[in-house]
Amino acid sequence: MPVPYLERPICEPVELRPGARIRVERVVQGGGAAASTPFPHFHDVHELVLFGTVSGTFTAEGRRYALAPGCIAFVPSMRQHDFALAPGPRDWLLVQIDAVAGETLAHAPGLERLAHAFCALPDTAQSRRVAMLAEWLGGLGSDDPPAQPLVELLLHAAVRAPAVAGERLAADADDLERLRPAIERLRRDPARAPSAEQAAALCALSPAYFSRRFKRQVGMAWSDYVRTHRLHLASQRLRDSDRSIAAIAESLGFSTPSHFGELFHRRFGMTPAAYRRAGSARS
């Protein structure tokens, strides 16, 4: 039985398979490629971009960086950013990392730089190592066992590369900053996610204004976002652990195993038990 893809209508939609922690895509555009249309956006995944040939700019967290061949761009989850690429040939490897997995990595020794967006340009020796890792990763599927360790190695290489100095912009238009306290509380403790009223208080907003702003910014209501986040975590735990379905449901704050099963089936088109069997068969 195939495992269905997760639909996440969060800003710019990113499809991660249930249980998956990374998505990798190689992009190559020829000499006839037009300049990209500016589009400030954000999404739930962390994003690492390893450029080959490129010219243009990368904007994130109130700074604009000039892109040069071989540079690296990193954006944490839910941070507004934009790429304005010049016309002509360009190529890159796009690595998208699940929000929770990325935040865990950002707390690992030596990877603290991942807490913020940055642009870096490796030196010659670093570039060779990054190119070797990127070539290896680009030839794998996201579910291949070596893929996740390779992503971690690439992140270590990225944070060690010399930083590109960014131009500070006049104002930071990241409207998500006001909503971030609620999102971070949910990620720290999904089993005891704040209600919409509690989330509004964390953001120092009225409940009505918080709800309107969250729906406008993220594309779904707070309660829907909480449910989507919990279900995605559940899909990972079903694949990666042998804990009982009831224990997983309880650990993520679902009221009963049957309610969890109903929501999971509605979201993914199969029961938690069927998903676990399908994941085991694929492995």
Side-chain angles (χ1 to χ4, degrees):
M1 178 184 291
V3 177
Y5 280 77
L6 173 65
E7 297 176 358
R8 284 205 280 193
I10 301 174
C11 325
E12 183 184 70
V14 174
E15 291 186 351
L16 291 179
R17 282 191 294 273
R21 284 180 166 79
I22 61 172
R23 174 177 175 266
V24 180
E25 181 183 2
R26 172 76 70 179
V27 179
V28 179
Q29 299 177 343
S36 65
T37 302
F39 177 60
H41 61 284
F42 56 92
H43 32 60
D44 207 33
V45 293
H46 303 261
E47 193 164 88
L48 176 69
V49 187
L50 308 171
F51 286 102
T53 300
V54 71
S55 178
T57 60
F58 160 55
T59 304
E61 294 188 343
R63 289 188 177 273
R64 180 177 292 122
Y65 305 89
L67 297 175
C71 69
I72 296 171
F74 177 79
V75 189
S77 167
M78 301 297 277
R79 304 296 173 91
Q80 187 165 288
H81 60 283
D82 190 20
F83 293 96
L85 304 183
R90 56 208 184 207
D91 65 276
W92 61 89
L93 185 72
L94 173 67
V95 182
Q96 293 174 318
I97 306 160
D98 169 74
V100 175
E103 288 181 4
T104 299
L105 285 171
H107 289 91
L111 291 178
E112 296 85 359
R113 193 175 174 188
L114 300 180
H116 298 283
F118 65 86
C119 186
L121 185 60
D123 61 27
T124 302
Q126 290 170 329
S127 291
R128 286 197 295 267
R129 290 192 290 270
V130 168
M132 179 184 67
L133 292 169
E135 183 177 359
W136 190 3
L137 179 63
L140 299 174
S142 297
D143 289 335
D144 285 341
Q148 193 163 328
L150 282 172
V151 169
E152 189 166 347
L153 287 172
L154 280 168
L155 290 171
H156 276 281
V159 301
R160 285 164 171 74
V164 173
E167 168 197 4
R168 179 166 289 282
L169 304 180
D172 187 354
D174 188 355
D175 293 333
L176 277 174
E177 286 302 321
R178 289 297 300 277
L179 305 177
R180 199 173 308 284
I183 294 169
E184 290 177 348
R185 174 68 65 84
L186 166 65
R187 290 179 177 173
R188 284 197 304 271
D189 192 358
R192 284 170 284 278
S195 65
E197 291 76 16
Q198 292 167 334
L202 288 169
C203 300
L205 298 171
S206 72
Y209 182 66
F210 170 82
S211 295
R212 289 196 305 272
R213 185 166 182 164
F214 195 91
K215 180 68 178 290
R216 183 176 69 249
Q217 287 291 116
V218 179
M220 60 173 67
W222 171 253
S223 59
D224 294 332
Y225 182 81
V226 170
R227 182 171 61 252
T228 298
H229 182 70
R230 285 171 163 170
L231 287 171
H232 186 61
L233 289 178
S235 72
Q236 292 180 344
R237 295 178 187 184
L238 284 165
R239 191 176 86 162
D240 294 346
S241 77
D242 57 2
R243 298 178 67 186
S244 70
I245 292 172
I248 290 173
E250 182 180 4
S251 72
L252 289 171
F254 292 98
S255 55
T256 64
S258 61
H259 184 235
F260 165 62
E262 178 186 343
L263 293 174
F264 194 94
H265 188 279
R266 189 185 305 165
R267 185 71 178 172
F268 301 129
M270 61 172 68
T271 65
Y275 168 74
R276 172 170 271 173
R277 288 194 298 271
S280 298
R282 188 174 67 250
S283 300

